[in-house]
Amino acid sequence: MDEKNFFDKVYQIVRMIPSGKVASYGQIAGMCFSPRSSRAVGYALHVNPMPGIIPCHRVVNKEGRLAPAFAFGGQEIQRELLEKEGVEVFQKEDGLLYVDMEKYCWKPQ
């Protein structure tokens, strides 16, 4: 799959994440049939051509950590967007922000 098709697949899947849920980069990569492409998913979201339509703020790392350098304004903006959707965000001792993956992880049927 070439880069454009991969990115389009990432965007298609991310648009399916419901409000109030999150998914991990690895989860999206697996759904694109490319389970070792978590970093490519991150890059695709970094260059998201339609912020607000493609809800990249709903994608976090496998531990639930928000992106320290969220492409559209930093982790505080990502936090605000998630909290507006009812996702609780908390800060750990490391100073970074997280969501509870047990509670908020999207589990598509």
Side-chain angles (χ1 to χ4, degrees):
M1 179 183 315
D2 66 36
E3 183 179 275
K4 181 187 179 331
N5 288 337
F6 179 78
F7 282 17
D8 287 344
K9 183 72 174 164
V10 167
Y11 300 144
Q12 176 186 2
I13 292 167
V14 170
R15 288 180 75 171
M16 295 181 340
I17 305 169
S19 178
K21 294 292 182 184
V22 297
S24 71
Y25 297 101
Q27 183 180 353
I28 302 302
M31 293 174 76
C32 290
F33 304 104
S34 188
R36 298 177 59 94
S37 298
S38 299
R39 288 179 187 259
V41 169
Y43 183 71
L45 297 177
H46 184 74
V47 297
N48 178 353
M50 297 183 288
I53 296 170
I54 300 168
C56 58
H57 67 280
R58 296 181 186 149
V59 183
V60 297
N61 85 350
K62 65 185 175 188
E63 286 111 28
R65 183 171 43 83
L66 276 56
F70 179 65
F72 304 101
Q75 69 177 350
E76 285 301 327
I77 299 299
Q78 187 177 14
R79 172 189 214 160
E80 286 176 25
L81 292 168
L82 289 170
E83 287 179 340
K84 276 186 200 170
E85 297 179 354
V87 176
E88 297 172 52
V89 177
F90 60 94
Q91 189 169 18
K92 283 191 176 178
E93 313 78 51
D94 61 9
L96 300 174
L97 300 175
Y98 292 81
V99 300
D100 181 344
M101 290 301 278
E102 290 284 317
K103 185 172 183 180
Y104 296 107
C105 187
W106 173 48
K107 296 179 175 55
Q109 307 305 4

